[in-house]
Amino acid sequence: MKPLQVVGNRVLRVDGKAKVQGAALYPQDIHMEGMLYGATLRSDKPHAFITIDLEEAEKIPGVVKILTAKDVTGHNHHGVLFKDHDVLCAEKVRRIGDPMAFVIGTSERIAKEALKKIKVHYQEIPAVFDPLEAMEERAPKVHGESNIVYHYKCRKGNVDEAFKACDIIVERAYKTSMVDHAFLQPEAGIAYMDEDGSVVVLAATQYPHFDQLEVAEALGLPTEKVRIINPAVGGAFGGREDITMQIHLALAAYLTGKPVKVVYGREESFYAHSKRHPIMMKYKTGATKDGKLLAMEVMLIGDTGAYASWAINVMRKAGVHAPGPYEIPNVKVDSYAVYTNNPFCGAMRGFGATQTPIGSEQQMDILARELGIDPIQFRLMNCFRVGSETANGQILHESIPLAQCIEAVKDRMFQELR
């Protein structure tokens, strides 16, 4: 067999030396002659119609231009799956932190000073912050006619009949929290016009190809007239998969003809990017007295906040993984993604697969305790092995080392105890 080049070998990271030596170039390190500075005006209301008065702010010396929705030269929208974000909110804000205007000034101080002079009139409207309430017909609507973005269903066997045959049934509710990525490098970037008339955006991003499409669509340019350059990325974990300042920078450079730079502070970073979905989980799990799992019914409600981002992918994966890595012949899963007026949620390490073990694994512990079976042994009795069938009908043919992993951990645990 030909030796492996990476697995089992020490491989130098391409960017490792530059980062260790402090030579790596991050977006905030980039300086261009004659560049301008941008600052974003963000909503401090969760749900309101807005009107914006720029007159006083535009009089400040050093303010070059203030962009609002009317200055967007293409489509005033973006979003990885649904185009439900405004580049700059035109009529309505849907969360605290929504961008409403973008100030371009000769210095960062001037741009931020101008933000204080912009007058925003809010006509507040009812908001909804609980995803369960948001699912009700009478709830305030964040987008369109329904707050339910997505519903994933998984059905295997007959859970109603299976529960009748169970000797023990455990029903519990669990909840995970919204989590921020808190990467080391807050968002920063710079945009400029190239010699051939292309807009160039330098920003730390996870999806430069998506950014190119979204910038081009918002500016009304062909994609070949937009370049995205990815400098060093100071952490991401999913938090840089959505647009933050890229379109604002591109539009500012396009309209002024000059380089424009933005650096977010930590507080603005919290407002700007997505979070991990908090998920409400209801579990009902049944087993026989000898420890065989027979049935599981799960309802998941994921709060995607004001925008969908990757909600469909996240809540589908959460639904797929809700039963855990266990052979259960009868399964019913309903997984929902729901709009609210909370901060929006999207990609974060694991895409829904990290939240559901909070529920499924506690169910295993409680069942084992109620049955008087060692929780490790209970898992070994029911865990996936080669040939197992998942709840959605997938047959696992290879790479199923769960039992070996549990055994290894058990042996190590007992060694430590001794």
Side-chain angles (χ1 to χ4, degrees), residues 345-370:
C345 295
M348 189 172 183
R349 288 279 177 88
F351 265 65
T354 49
Q355 290 96 315
T356 53
I358 297 293
S360 61
E361 292 302 326
Q362 289 192 73
Q363 290 291 99
M364 297 304 114
D365 282 339
I366 297 168
L367 281 166
R369 184 183 65 206
E370 295 292 325

Short mmCIF file of all heavy atoms in Angstrom, two decimals, residues 345-370:
data_model
loop_
_atom_site.label_atom_id
_atom_site.label_comp_id
_atom_site.label_asym_id
_atom_site.label_seq_id
_atom_site.Cartn_x
_atom_site.Cartn_y
_atom_site.Cartn_z
N CYS A 345 -29.72 33.45 13.76
CA CYS A 345 -28.87 32.28 14.00
C CYS A 345 -28.56 31.59 12.68
O CYS A 345 -29.35 31.63 11.74
CB CYS A 345 -29.55 31.30 14.94
SG CYS A 345 -29.79 31.99 16.60
N GLY A 346 -27.40 30.96 12.62
CA GLY A 346 -26.98 30.31 11.39
C GLY A 346 -25.97 29.22 11.65
O GLY A 346 -26.19 28.34 12.48
N ALA A 347 -24.86 29.29 10.94
CA ALA A 347 -23.86 28.23 11.02
C ALA A 347 -23.03 28.37 12.29
O ALA A 347 -22.58 29.45 12.65
CB ALA A 347 -22.94 28.30 9.80
N MET A 348 -22.84 27.26 12.97
CA MET A 348 -21.84 27.15 14.03
C MET A 348 -21.51 25.68 14.17
O MET A 348 -22.39 24.83 14.10
CB MET A 348 -22.33 27.72 15.36
CG MET A 348 -21.21 27.81 16.39
SD MET A 348 -21.70 28.70 17.89
CE MET A 348 -20.14 28.68 18.79
N ARG A 349 -20.26 25.40 14.33
CA ARG A 349 -19.71 24.06 14.39
C ARG A 349 -20.75 22.99 14.75
O ARG A 349 -21.29 23.00 15.84
CB ARG A 349 -18.56 24.01 15.41
CG ARG A 349 -17.29 24.71 14.97
CD ARG A 349 -16.47 23.84 14.06
NE ARG A 349 -15.28 24.49 13.57
CZ ARG A 349 -14.10 24.47 14.19
NH1 ARG A 349 -13.95 23.86 15.34
NH2 ARG A 349 -13.06 25.07 13.65
N GLY A 350 -21.02 22.09 13.84
CA GLY A 350 -21.90 20.97 14.14
C GLY A 350 -23.28 21.05 13.54
O GLY A 350 -23.97 20.04 13.44
N PHE A 351 -23.74 22.28 13.17
CA PHE A 351 -25.01 22.44 12.43
C PHE A 351 -26.15 21.61 13.03
O PHE A 351 -26.72 20.75 12.39
CB PHE A 351 -24.81 22.03 10.97
CG PHE A 351 -24.50 23.17 10.05
CD1 PHE A 351 -23.34 23.89 10.18
CD2 PHE A 351 -25.37 23.49 9.03
CE1 PHE A 351 -23.05 24.95 9.32
CE2 PHE A 351 -25.10 24.55 8.15
CZ PHE A 351 -23.93 25.28 8.30
N GLY A 352 -26.51 21.86 14.27
CA GLY A 352 -27.65 21.18 14.87
C GLY A 352 -27.32 19.85 15.51
O GLY A 352 -28.05 19.38 16.39
N ALA A 353 -26.25 19.22 15.06
CA ALA A 353 -25.87 17.92 15.62
C ALA A 353 -25.26 18.06 17.01
O ALA A 353 -25.15 17.07 17.74
CB ALA A 353 -24.87 17.22 14.70
N THR A 354 -24.88 19.27 17.40
CA THR A 354 -24.29 19.49 18.73
C THR A 354 -25.36 19.73 19.80
O THR A 354 -25.10 19.49 20.98
CB THR A 354 -23.34 20.69 18.70
OG1 THR A 354 -24.00 21.78 18.08
CG2 THR A 354 -22.08 20.38 17.94
N GLN A 355 -26.53 20.21 19.40
CA GLN A 355 -27.57 20.52 20.38
C GLN A 355 -28.33 19.28 20.84
O GLN A 355 -28.59 19.10 22.03
CB GLN A 355 -28.57 21.54 19.81
CG GLN A 355 -28.00 22.95 19.63
CD GLN A 355 -27.52 23.21 18.22
OE1 GLN A 355 -26.86 22.36 17.63
NE2 GLN A 355 -27.85 24.36 17.66
N THR A 356 -28.69 18.41 19.90
CA THR A 356 -29.59 17.30 20.25
C THR A 356 -29.01 16.26 21.22
O THR A 356 -29.80 15.65 21.96
CB THR A 356 -30.11 16.60 18.98
OG1 THR A 356 -29.00 16.22 18.14
CG2 THR A 356 -31.04 17.53 18.20
N PRO A 357 -27.70 16.03 21.27
CA PRO A 357 -27.22 15.09 22.29
C PRO A 357 -27.52 15.51 23.72
O PRO A 357 -27.57 14.66 24.62
CB PRO A 357 -25.69 15.05 22.04
CG PRO A 357 -25.56 15.38 20.59
CD PRO A 357 -26.62 16.40 20.32
N ILE A 358 -27.74 16.81 23.94
CA ILE A 358 -28.16 17.27 25.27
C ILE A 358 -29.43 16.53 25.68
O ILE A 358 -29.61 16.14 26.84
CB ILE A 358 -28.42 18.79 25.27
CG1 ILE A 358 -27.12 19.56 24.95
CG2 ILE A 358 -29.03 19.25 26.59
CD1 ILE A 358 -26.06 19.46 26.00
N GLY A 359 -30.34 16.32 24.70
CA GLY A 359 -31.57 15.60 24.98
C GLY A 359 -31.41 14.10 24.91
O GLY A 359 -31.75 13.38 25.87
N SER A 360 -30.89 13.60 23.79
CA SER A 360 -30.85 12.15 23.59
C SER A 360 -29.98 11.44 24.62
O SER A 360 -30.35 10.36 25.13
CB SER A 360 -30.36 11.82 22.17
OG SER A 360 -29.05 12.30 21.95
N GLU A 361 -28.85 12.01 24.98
CA GLU A 361 -27.96 11.34 25.93
C GLU A 361 -28.50 11.39 27.36
O GLU A 361 -28.31 10.44 28.14
CB GLU A 361 -26.56 11.94 25.87
CG GLU A 361 -25.82 11.66 24.57
CD GLU A 361 -25.68 10.17 24.28
OE1 GLU A 361 -25.54 9.37 25.24
OE2 GLU A 361 -25.73 9.79 23.10
N GLN A 362 -29.19 12.47 27.72
CA GLN A 362 -29.81 12.47 29.04
C GLN A 362 -30.95 11.46 29.12
O GLN A 362 -31.17 10.84 30.17
CB GLN A 362 -30.32 13.88 29.39
CG GLN A 362 -29.17 14.85 29.67
CD GLN A 362 -29.63 16.15 30.29
OE1 GLN A 362 -30.00 16.19 31.47
NE2 GLN A 362 -29.63 17.21 29.49
N GLN A 363 -31.65 11.28 27.99
CA GLN A 363 -32.68 10.24 27.96
C GLN A 363 -32.06 8.86 28.22
O GLN A 363 -32.63 8.04 28.95
CB GLN A 363 -33.39 10.25 26.60
CG GLN A 363 -34.30 11.45 26.35
CD GLN A 363 -35.52 11.46 27.23
OE1 GLN A 363 -35.56 12.14 28.25
NE2 GLN A 363 -36.54 10.70 26.85
N MET A 364 -30.88 8.61 27.62
CA MET A 364 -30.22 7.31 27.83
C MET A 364 -29.84 7.12 29.29
O MET A 364 -30.02 6.03 29.86
CB MET A 364 -28.97 7.22 26.95
CG MET A 364 -29.21 7.26 25.45
SD MET A 364 -30.36 6.00 24.85
CE MET A 364 -31.73 7.04 24.31
N ASP A 365 -29.33 8.18 29.91
CA ASP A 365 -28.94 8.08 31.33
C ASP A 365 -30.14 7.81 32.22
O ASP A 365 -30.09 6.98 33.14
CB ASP A 365 -28.25 9.37 31.77
CG ASP A 365 -26.81 9.47 31.29
OD1 ASP A 365 -26.22 8.42 30.97
OD2 ASP A 365 -26.28 10.59 31.23
N ILE A 366 -31.25 8.53 31.95
CA ILE A 366 -32.43 8.37 32.79
C ILE A 366 -33.04 6.98 32.61
O ILE A 366 -33.42 6.31 33.58
CB ILE A 366 -33.47 9.47 32.47
CG1 ILE A 366 -32.89 10.85 32.82
CG2 ILE A 366 -34.76 9.23 33.25
CD1 ILE A 366 -33.71 12.02 32.28
N LEU A 367 -33.12 6.51 31.37
CA LEU A 367 -33.65 5.16 31.12
C LEU A 367 -32.80 4.11 31.81
O LEU A 367 -33.34 3.18 32.44
CB LEU A 367 -33.69 4.90 29.61
CG LEU A 367 -34.86 5.51 28.83
CD1 LEU A 367 -34.57 5.46 27.33
CD2 LEU A 367 -36.17 4.79 29.14
N ALA A 368 -31.48 4.23 31.68
CA ALA A 368 -30.59 3.25 32.31
C ALA A 368 -30.80 3.22 33.83
O ALA A 368 -30.86 2.15 34.45
CB ALA A 368 -29.14 3.58 31.96
N ARG A 369 -30.90 4.41 34.40
CA ARG A 369 -31.11 4.48 35.87
C ARG A 369 -32.43 3.83 36.27
O ARG A 369 -32.51 3.07 37.24
CB ARG A 369 -31.07 5.94 36.31
CG ARG A 369 -31.18 6.14 37.82
CD ARG A 369 -31.22 7.62 38.17
NE ARG A 369 -32.43 8.23 37.64
CZ ARG A 369 -32.54 9.52 37.34
NH1 ARG A 369 -31.50 10.32 37.46
NH2 ARG A 369 -33.68 10.00 36.87
N GLU A 370 -33.49 4.16 35.51
CA GLU A 370 -34.82 3.62 35.84
C GLU A 370 -34.85 2.10 35.68
O GLU A 370 -35.58 1.40 36.41
CB GLU A 370 -35.88 4.26 34.94
CG GLU A 370 -36.08 5.74 35.14
CD GLU A 370 -36.69 6.08 36.49
OE1 GLU A 370 -37.54 5.30 36.97
OE2 GLU A 370 -36.30 7.10 37.09
#
